[in-house]
Amino acid sequence: MKKNITLFLMIFLSVLTYAQKTVTGKITDEDGVPIPSASVTVEEPGKDAILAYGITNSKGEYKVTFTTAESNVDLKVKAFNQKPLTKQISNSDQTLSFKMQSEATEIKEVQLKTKMITARGDTIAYDLKAFDSKSDRTLADVMKKIPGIEVNTDGTILYQGNAINKFYVNGKDLMEGGYGTINNSLPKDAVQKVEVLENHQPVKILQDKVPSDQAAINIKLKNSVTMTGRGEVGTGFGEPWLWNVKLTPMFFGQKSQWVVNYKTNNMGEQVENEGNILAFGNRFEGKRINASQNDWLNVENADTPSLPVKRYLLNNVHYLSANYLTNIDKKKEWELKANANYTNNAVEREAYNRKDYFDGSSNTTNILNNFYTDKAKGELIFTKNAKKGFFKNTTSFSQYWNADRGLVDRTDVTSGKQRNAGESLESPTTSFQNSLSTIIPWKEKMVNLLSYVSYQTDRQTLEVSPTSYLDIPGFKVLPNSDFVTQNLRLKTFEANHSANIGFSTKGWTFTPEVGFNFKTTDLVSDLYNIETIPSTNPNDLPTLPTAYSNDLRYSTATPYGSLGVNYKNDSWMLYANFPVNSNNIKAEDPFRNVSKTVNKVTFEPSVFAQYTFASFWKASVNANINNNFGEINTAYSGFLMTSPSGINAMDPKNPIPQNNNKSAGTRIEYRNPLNNLFFNINYRYSDAKRNLISNPTINGAGYTIMNYKEQDNHVLNNGYSAEVGKYFPKFKTNASFSYSNNTVKSDLFLNNDSYTNKNNSQSYGIKFNNTYFSWMSIDYNASISRTKQTSVGKVSSNATRTGFTHNLGLFFYPIENHTIGFNWDQVNTNAAEQKYHNGFYDVSYQFTWAKKKIDFELKWMNIANKKVFETYDINTTNITYTRYQLRPSQVMFTVKFNFK
């Protein structure tokens, strides 16, 4: 750790070797009238290298901060219809004002030429045309190629490695964080610019008072009123018959916006997650979460391979969503948003694995799953976001009717014993949430009230048949029973209420706050047709019938007081919070002898500071301490069959978990739109201290019996990463390189033996795209990973795994409106001298009817008809070989078009 900290500090100090200098002043014309929007740059003499730049405000004032070892620098001022001027100045702090001479600009011809990347204040704008290729059709296609921006596989947009907090279209937040639909379906031809709003505070009344380190994205369309959208209709040959339909019309006006989206396919494309919330704003907007089920019970699941989802997903999905926004007052301050979506999805999955344990035992398992998802969500949002006040109320309702199925064959290789079972799980869930936040100006102060209420019920029924499949140590099935059933019901109620007052003075804002958080969960469960095997120890008490049931209430009540401190000026940004929490936790189940309490006061500060210097640089540090005290799943003591592979119960004598987490990090960031260069370096260290440590026991059949020891233990995490990206206009190439190194060291037990486990993972990534040639474009992504696991102590092991993945997209344009595409996915793994190389190839031909802007595409996927994917892995207890079922070769014909 010390070496890593020293290395990072050396990098940090090398950037700050030379003291910063600041030049301020005022730019006016010959009559003394201020000139706004004049550019002021500082350059090294004779090198034509821009060190820093600034733009004058409406009063003609400018400020430029720079760092250099040169004794003198050139200061250049340019403004429209003014004669440019250059002055060599000393490398020192100073105030310089200039009067510019008028000079009429003769325009010889009308020619519009825009820069690819421009910056103004905290806004960086990208001209979309500079980064697209002939094969791109949607915003997402181009967004992946913009320097400084990444798009994750789940659709999350990152800027300089961090997730954005808002996604706007023409300044309006229609999707409220669920922006995947627009990003994937908005035609690129409708977009003029992509704007990155750095340090974006979405609540207008707080913009000069409470800073933010997150960025937002604003999609600026070519027209203020736009009717657009994207559609696809496809059919194909495969097993079974294939289809793919996408219909996403959109409207963006000055008063209202709407998006309707229907997507269905059975060809392996995952569209049902487009409605997920990917950007959450900040806490002053209230609390919003992706509602999810409490899935305590599970059928045995076939694993998924480390491949693009389209290679293995055997699906049949229908996804429908609608989003609507309208202004409901003349000032356009109040907005009403209504969002709804519905998903119906059936997924089939199959996998085989063999585990060879180091004690000599082995077992094989073949699992065939069918997962059925049926869910609906509705949301209603009222918002007022103005300089003189803020109000936001969000009401959402979600309903699930999910069901899972499993057919499992398990063989104990040592004994030759074979067992099979049919498994079923029914899991309906109902969730209701309401979040309210309002900020009211009161003289020179602000009063903020926050309220969040949530209620959720989960019902799960797991059934396994025949009973002969169950071979769980310590348990037996009741005679004449054909099936074993586990019933479970959870009722969760949560309420968070708080109030604060903000005081502002000289750039500082102080926010004292008081609040009360409450959460209670009731667990009721019953296990039928199974009982424990009587103990041979005469001192053991017989197991009571209540041991197969739970009736547990777990509640947490936390009154708290905190002080928020915020500061912002041209160079510094600081926000910190200093809360004192009174944690009161209680777990009660009288019939199972569970009665646990914790009453503890904790201080949980968090601090973030950021310094901006030399126009292009940002350096930041952050640190925080937090505590958590477990959840209801750490307190039940009645037997619970969470999976057909095991039955669990917690010792009623176990204390409530108390985990203390400390973490700190630092970051250096550089973004220069003048030379299209972006990079960031990050370091983070954390220490999680826990009072309980798990002590699993594994028997010869591969089943795990979970126990806990009361013993202080730690999980130490030490990681650093770097990423650099640059656009080369001359070669029309965007390239980036990334590196990460993460080490996790933890105290563990296995079969009552203690040991320390150390996991080190490293990865190298490279990506680039090139549109230099008019007849060809290239998109390439590759990564190399290496993971080393070392266990030291009474359990000893040493395993190394390496991997290589890449994706190549190659497009040729031999004739106007004709495109030939080639795609290559390669996934290689290497562990214990076992090497697996898995390549997947696709080809496509596309004809574009340019007049109608319609594409006709014929695509052949998985040309080699690779039907299985194999991996080999080593961990602390065993060596595992896994074989996954993949999608076979398939051919699709698709018609693609834009709505107008």
Side-chain angles (χ1 to χ4, degrees):
M1 173 190 170
K2 291 181 179 178
K3 292 182 179 179
N4 293 333
I5 294 176
T6 302
L7 175 64
F8 193 86
L9 289 176
M10 289 175 63
I11 297 173
F12 183 83
L13 291 174
S14 67
V15 177
L16 301 178
T17 301
Y18 305 106
Q20 291 188 78
K21 304 302 178 185
T22 301
V23 180
T24 60
K26 189 174 183 179
I27 309 296
T28 62
D29 61 16
E30 294 174 305
D31 298 325
V33 177
I35 300 176
S37 301
S39 67
V40 182
T41 59
V42 175
E43 303 178 10
E44 291 188 357
K47 295 183 179 181
D48 195 26
I50 298 177
L51 299 173
Y53 73 99
I55 304 293
T56 58
N57 59 21
S58 60
K59 298 179 181 179
E61 300 168 337
Y62 74 91
K63 180 178 180 180
V64 182
T65 302
F66 62 95
T67 302
T68 183
E70 299 290 334
S71 58
N72 296 298
V73 295
D74 288 340
L75 188 145
K76 298 181 178 180
V77 184
K78 295 180 180 179
F80 186 70
N81 278 339
Q82 305 293 328
K83 185 177 181 180
L85 60 87
T86 300
K87 181 180 178 65
Q88 189 167 97
I89 62 174
S90 62
N91 182 3
S92 61
D93 295 328
Q94 52 193 299
T95 299
L96 295 172
S97 296
F98 298 93
K99 283 189 176 183
M100 304 189 73
Q101 297 179 5
S102 298
E103 183 180 73
T105 303
E106 181 181 355
I107 302 176
K108 297 182 179 179
E109 57 181 301
V110 178
Q111 182 178 6
L112 298 178
K113 185 177 180 180
T114 59
K115 293 183 179 180
M116 295 173 297
I117 307 176
T118 57
R120 185 179 181 88
D122 283 338
T123 300
I124 297 178
Y126 300 85
D127 182 7
L128 214 64
K129 286 186 176 180
F131 303 99
D132 72 345
S133 65
K134 292 181 181 180
S135 61
D136 295 333
R137 291 295 181 267
T138 66
L139 174 63
D141 293 336
V142 187
M143 190 83 79
K144 299 173 184 177
K145 303 174 181 179
I146 295 177
I149 294 178
E150 297 176 65
V151 182
N152 284 343
T153 54
D154 66 352
T156 305
I157 298 174
L158 307 180
Y159 174 68
Q160 287 283 65
N162 292 327
I164 63 173
N165 64 359
K166 285 288 182 178
F167 183 94
Y168 301 104
V169 178
N170 281 351
K172 291 184 179 292
D173 183 16
L174 165 65
M175 306 305 289
E176 281 288 341
Y179 52 76
T181 299
I182 291 181
N183 198 32
N184 293 332
S185 302
L186 179 63
K188 67 169 187 178
D189 295 338
V191 180
Q192 179 183 8
K193 291 182 180 180
V194 173
E195 296 179 332
V196 175
L197 315 177
E198 295 187 321
N199 301 322
H200 178 64
Q201 169 56 263
V203 180
K204 294 180 181 179
I205 194 174
L206 302 177
Q207 285 179 347
D208 298 325
K209 301 175 178 65
V210 179
S212 168
D213 66 314
Q214 287 186 282
I217 294 287
N218 179 47
I219 307 302
K220 191 172 182 181
L221 303 180
K222 293 178 179 178
N223 301 314
S224 58
V225 178
T226 302
M227 178 69 190
T228 186
R230 186 76 177 158
E232 296 183 17
V233 178
T235 185
F237 307 96
E239 184 62 37
W241 168 75
L242 304 173
W243 75 81
N244 181 25
V245 178
K246 301 178 182 179
L247 301 172
T248 314
M250 309 176 184
F251 174 79
F252 303 101
Q254 295 180 325
K255 184 178 179 180
S256 64
Q257 296 183 351
W258 56 259
V259 173
V260 177
N261 182 36
Y262 173 65
K263 294 182 179 177
T264 177
N265 75 84
N266 70 339
M267 40 98 55
E269 189 167 349
Q270 199 172 33
V271 298
E272 63 274 16
N273 295 329
E274 284 192 346
N276 287 351
I277 303 173
L278 303 175
F280 294 88
N282 66 29
R283 70 177 300 269
F284 290 97
E285 294 184 86
K287 184 176 180 178
R288 297 184 72 234
I289 63 173
N290 285 310
S292 61
Q293 295 182 287
N294 289 307
D295 51 352
W296 281 43
L297 310 184
N298 296 278
V299 300
E300 293 179 87
N301 290 341
D303 293 332
T304 58
S306 300
L307 288 173
V309 174
K310 65 181 180 181
R311 300 298 181 189
Y312 65 83
L313 182 63
L314 301 170
N315 67 330
N316 184 330
V317 63
H318 298 266
Y319 176 72
L320 174 66
S321 67
N323 300 76
Y324 177 72
L325 175 154
T326 185
N327 290 111
I328 54 178
D329 68 323
K330 293 182 179 180
K331 293 183 179 181
K332 295 183 180 181
E333 292 182 342
W334 283 90
E335 290 180 342
L336 167 65
K337 301 175 190 178
N339 308 318
N341 62 68
Y342 173 73
T343 302
N344 180 277
N345 192 18
V347 172
E348 182 179 305
R349 188 187 303 162
E350 184 175 2
Y352 164 88
N353 70 57
R354 175 181 173 126
K355 290 185 178 181
D356 295 319
Y357 292 88
F358 296 140
D359 64 3
S361 60
S362 300
N363 68 67
T364 65
T365 307
N366 193 82
I367 303 177
L368 173 63
N369 289 127
N370 291 97
F371 303 109
Y372 301 101
T373 300
D374 201 13
K375 65 178 182 179
K377 178 183 178 181
E379 193 170 48
L380 197 64
I381 304 172
F382 287 94
T383 305
K384 177 187 178 181
N385 192 3
K387 281 290 186 180
K388 295 184 178 180
F390 176 81
F391 177 90
K392 186 171 186 177
N393 190 86
T394 303
T395 303
S396 63
F397 176 82
S398 300
Q399 179 66 54
Y400 295 79
W401 303 272
N402 290 0
D404 300 336
R405 302 290 182 265
L407 294 175
V408 184
D409 293 319
R410 184 185 292 268
T411 301
D412 187 332
V413 177
T414 307
S415 65
K417 183 178 180 180
Q418 184 175 1
R419 292 169 290 123
N420 57 74
E423 305 169 2
S424 66
L425 175 67
E426 308 295 329
S427 52
T429 294
T430 302
S431 173
F432 171 83
Q433 302 170 39
N434 191 83
S435 173
L436 170 67
S437 176
T438 183
I439 302 176
I440 305 169
W442 177 39
K443 298 181 180 180
E444 300 300 321
K445 307 175 184 64
M446 298 178 300
V447 178
N448 176 216
L449 302 175
L450 289 161
S451 173
Y452 173 78
V453 177
S454 170
Y455 178 74
Q456 180 166 316
T457 61
D458 296 273
R459 294 180 181 271
Q460 293 189 281
T461 302
L462 174 62
E463 188 172 291
V464 184
S465 178
T467 56
S468 58
Y469 173 77
L470 297 177
D471 186 16
I472 301 173
F475 292 86
K476 67 177 182 180
V477 179
L478 294 179
N480 303 318
S481 300
D482 294 328
F483 58 87
V484 174
T485 303
Q486 174 71 69
N487 290 329
L488 178 142
R489 186 189 70 198
L490 289 169
K491 292 183 178 180
T492 305
F493 174 76
E494 183 177 0
N496 304 326
H497 303 291
S498 65
N500 63 64
I501 299 178
F503 305 82
S504 296
T505 177
K506 296 181 179 180
W508 291 88
T509 299
F510 300 94
T511 311
E513 177 175 306
V514 293
F516 181 74
N517 298 332
F518 177 77
K519 182 178 181 181
T520 181
T521 304
D522 292 330
L523 165 64
V524 176
S525 71
D526 291 291
L527 177 59
Y528 298 101
N529 297 338
I530 197 167
E531 65 180 11
T532 54
I533 298 173
S535 174
T536 58
N537 187 342
N539 296 321
D540 288 346
L541 296 175
T543 302
L544 299 175
T546 54
Y548 307 100
S549 303
N550 286 283
D551 190 359
L552 173 66
R553 168 165 289 191
Y554 193 95
S555 60
T556 302
T558 310
Y560 70 90
S562 69
L563 175 64
V565 179
N566 299 274
Y567 175 75
K568 185 177 182 181
N569 64 14
D570 292 337
S571 300
W572 283 97
M573 182 171 68
L574 166 72
Y575 54 85
N577 196 34
F578 303 98
V580 177
N581 303 326
S582 176
N583 304 281
N584 304 279
I585 301 98
K586 181 183 291 186
E588 289 186 313
D589 186 351
F591 290 103
R592 260 71 43 186
N593 298 318
V594 176
S595 182
K596 308 175 185 181
T597 59
V598 167
N599 298 286
K600 188 173 183 179
V601 176
T602 58
F603 177 55
E604 304 182 22
S606 62
V607 178
F608 175 88
Q610 178 179 279
Y611 181 49
T612 302
F613 56 101
S615 295
F616 309 119
W617 292 88
K618 291 181 181 180
S620 64
V621 294
N622 64 85
N624 68 79
I625 300 174
N626 66 76
N627 296 269
N628 63 71
F629 298 89
E631 291 289 346
I632 191 170
N633 59 354
T634 64
Y636 68 91
S637 65
F639 291 119
L640 198 64
M641 184 174 67
T642 56
S643 168
S645 63
I647 294 179
N648 301 312
M650 304 298 170
D651 189 333
K653 297 178 183 178
N654 283 344
I656 291 175
Q658 298 185 41
N659 304 324
N660 177 265
N661 306 298
K662 302 181 180 70
S663 65
T666 184
R667 172 182 174 92
I668 294 177
E669 178 181 328
Y670 178 84
R671 67 277 183 278
N672 187 343
L674 299 177
N675 62 9
N676 312 312
L677 177 64
F678 297 77
F679 73 79
N680 59 82
I681 304 172
N682 304 271
Y683 174 79
R684 189 157 195 84
Y685 177 80
S686 67
D687 177 5
K689 180 182 178 183
R690 307 173 297 183
N691 68 325
L692 295 180
I693 187 170
S694 62
N695 181 25
T697 302
I698 300 175
N699 77 326
Y703 289 122
T704 300
I705 304 170
M706 185 61 70
N707 301 298
Y708 285 85
K709 287 180 175 289
E710 187 175 359
Q711 176 180 316
D712 286 347
N713 61 98
H714 293 262
V715 177
L716 305 177
N717 197 314
N718 184 29
Y720 52 92
S721 64
E723 181 180 21
V724 58
K726 180 173 173 57
Y727 184 75
F728 301 89
K730 185 177 180 180
F731 303 101
K732 294 186 177 180
T733 297
N734 181 39
S736 69
F737 175 80
S738 62
Y739 172 75
S740 67
N741 187 308
N742 195 69
T743 301
V744 180
K745 186 177 180 182
S746 54
D747 301 320
L748 296 171
F749 269 82
L750 179 66
N751 295 330
N752 292 312
D753 292 327
S754 64
Y755 66 102
T756 299
N757 192 68
K758 182 180 178 181
N759 248 305
N760 176 259
S761 59
Q762 300 181 55
S763 67
Y764 303 82
I766 185 173
K767 68 176 183 178
F768 72 87
N769 57 77
N770 178 279
T771 58
Y772 180 79
F773 301 101
S774 61
W775 52 271
M776 181 185 72
S777 63
I778 301 174
D779 293 317
Y780 184 75
N781 295 274
S783 67
I784 300 173
S785 63
R786 181 180 184 272
T787 302
K788 184 177 182 180
Q789 177 179 291
T790 306
S791 299
V792 179
K794 293 186 177 181
V795 176
S796 180
S797 68
N798 193 327
T800 301
R801 177 188 175 95
T802 60
F804 170 74
T805 64
H806 82 77
N807 171 262
L808 171 66
L810 193 59
F811 297 91
F812 298 95
Y813 317 104
I815 308 173
E816 186 70 20
N817 298 325
H818 294 262
T819 303
I820 298 173
F822 173 73
N823 187 75
W824 174 16
D825 288 322
Q826 183 72 38
V827 180
N828 299 344
T829 58
N830 182 3
E833 300 182 355
Q834 296 289 327
K835 298 180 180 180
Y836 294 96
H837 293 181
N838 299 273
F840 302 87
Y841 311 97
D842 309 327
V843 294
S844 64
Y845 165 73
Q846 181 172 283
F847 168 70
T848 300
W849 187 2
K851 185 177 181 180
K852 299 292 185 180
K853 293 187 177 180
I854 299 176
D855 298 321
F856 301 91
E857 181 189 65
L858 184 65
K859 190 171 186 179
W860 184 7
M861 293 163 284
N862 192 5
I863 296 173
N865 198 25
K866 193 173 185 66
K867 295 181 179 180
V868 296
F869 175 78
E870 300 171 302
T871 61
Y872 192 83
D873 199 9
I874 299 177
N875 59 38
T876 306
T877 62
N878 61 73
I879 300 173
T880 302
Y881 163 78
T882 307
R883 185 173 65 242
Y884 306 92
Q885 184 70 30
L886 302 179
R887 294 191 66 89
S889 182
Q890 57 191 42
V891 177
M892 291 288 297
F893 174 73
T894 307
V895 179
K896 306 177 183 180
F897 54 92
N898 291 346
F899 290 100
K900 283 193 174 182

